[in-house]
Amino acid sequence: MTALLAALHDHPDYLAIAPRLHAADAAIRRVALLELADEADPELLPALVHALDDADAGVRAEAARLLAGADDIAATAALAARLLDSDGAVRDAAAQSLSELKSADCGTVLLDWAVHDNAFARTAALRALRELRLPAAHDAGLAALKHPQAGVRREGVGVLGWLKADDALPALADLAQHDPDAEVRRAASGAVGFGQHPAVLPALLAALGDEHWPVREEAAATLGKLRLQAAGEALISTLEQDIWQVRIRAARALGLLHERQALPALIGSLAHQAGNLRKEAAIALGEIGDPSALPALSIATDDPDPEVRKAARLALGKLASA
């Protein structure tokens, strides 16, 4: 018995399952791991960690999946080691389980992995660190922005965005405009939404013209979140000309900006075939609060979509109270 399992030598639940955990048949060992997990006993965690070293890749992958959400330093370290496993399914399972960490103490185990030479391991560690908001992850996130692999850059963006790292805003704004990968540009367009910097507005306005619509969608949402009044004209153009998915975000942003110049475009959007856009247009008109929208909103209370009708009634209520 290994040192890891030594503490379990008198645990009755472990002793009952142990023969199957050590069976010659890998399929039996996998079923035994499920039995072990069903006990939901933290004292049995070492047995799951031990299974990460099993000779069978299927058993290792099962153990990695079952350790999801196990905020335990030893389990975190063992899962991180499996990021270099010879089997792709094991690596993927370990990465997924690490991404569900909630403990900052466990997250510190991943700081060295966040600058690892292996791109997959580095990506997984950065993803796991993202929502933990560890200040110590700042440098790893910043370094990741220059990595040749897009996945690493994208997770670096996530780390810095969750940390609200003001010093990273120029670099994030540059990625939003110029990164060769559309998903990195999209992530960066969202990540700059935590602070004001002279580089942010030009980057987001440029992103509104990106060839990939998810980037434009994210840029429109961030412009509204930041309440950047200088973006009003560009957002109106987006609302009038872009595809409906992006127009939804533009409508929402214009409402947040209380942009009165957008009234004709928003009123026109109440007749669009996409119900979600009609709803957002109604909400935005309520936010702006201009009485000239009353006739169009009154008509929208008879919209075939109940969500649009509800939004129109609420908007009319706001205008009445104003």
Side-chain angles (χ1 to χ4, degrees), residues 194-285:
F194 62 81
Q196 301 284 348
H197 187 280
V200 170
L201 177 60
L204 290 175
L205 291 177
L208 275 184
D210 196 277
E211 62 179 324
H212 293 273
W213 72 263
V215 180
R216 303 196 301 273
E217 180 184 41
E218 196 70 43
T222 303
L223 286 166
K225 181 179 179 180
L226 288 172
R227 308 294 202 276
L228 293 175
Q229 295 294 149
E233 184 177 345
L235 286 167
I236 292 171
S237 178
T238 295
L239 179 60
E240 292 174 332
Q241 299 175 22
D242 216 316
I243 63 173
W244 67 268
Q245 292 93 332
V246 182
R247 293 173 70 175
I248 285 174
R249 300 285 188 165
R252 187 174 303 172
L254 288 163
L256 291 170
L257 294 176
H258 298 96
E259 179 56 72
R260 291 182 181 275
Q261 298 301 316
L263 286 169
L266 288 168
I267 290 171
S269 296
L270 289 175
H272 195 274
Q273 62 183 3
N276 284 340
L277 176 54
R278 300 198 302 276
K279 180 181 76 171
E280 289 298 335
I283 293 171
L285 289 167

Side-chain angles (χ1 to χ4, degrees), residues 13-14 16-23 25-39 47-48 51 59 62 66:
D13 292 328
Y14 173 74
I17 301 172
R20 294 184 293 285
L21 285 171
H22 301 287
D25 189 335
I28 294 176
R29 298 200 299 277
R30 288 183 67 179
V31 172
L33 289 177
L34 294 170
E35 293 180 62
L36 199 67
D38 284 343
E39 295 295 330
L48 287 174
V59 175
E62 193 67 66
L66 292 172

Side-chain angles (χ1 to χ4, degrees), residues 14 77 145 149 158 184 250 261 308 315-316:
Y14 173 74
L145 300 187
Q149 291 207 13
V184 175
Q261 298 301 316
V308 178
L316 286 169

Side-chain angles (χ1 to χ4, degrees), residues 1-16 18 21-22 36 41-50:
M1 182 180 293
T2 68
L4 192 61
L5 300 181
L8 297 176
H9 73 281
D10 60 353
H11 195 295
D13 292 328
Y14 173 74
L15 293 176
L21 285 171
H22 301 287
L36 199 67
D41 185 346
E43 292 184 6
L44 296 174
L45 197 64
L48 287 174
V49 174
H50 180 265

Side-chain angles (χ1 to χ4, degrees), residues 149-196:
Q149 291 207 13
V152 176
R153 298 197 302 276
R154 183 174 65 248
E155 297 305 334
V157 167
V159 167
L160 295 167
W162 279 85
L163 283 175
K164 301 187 186 315
D166 285 329
D167 65 321
L169 281 170
L172 292 172
D174 183 68
L175 287 181
Q177 288 182 264
H178 302 124
D179 195 274
D181 183 83
E183 185 54 28
V184 175
R185 297 197 302 275
R186 185 206 62 76
S189 294
V192 295
F194 62 81
Q196 301 284 348

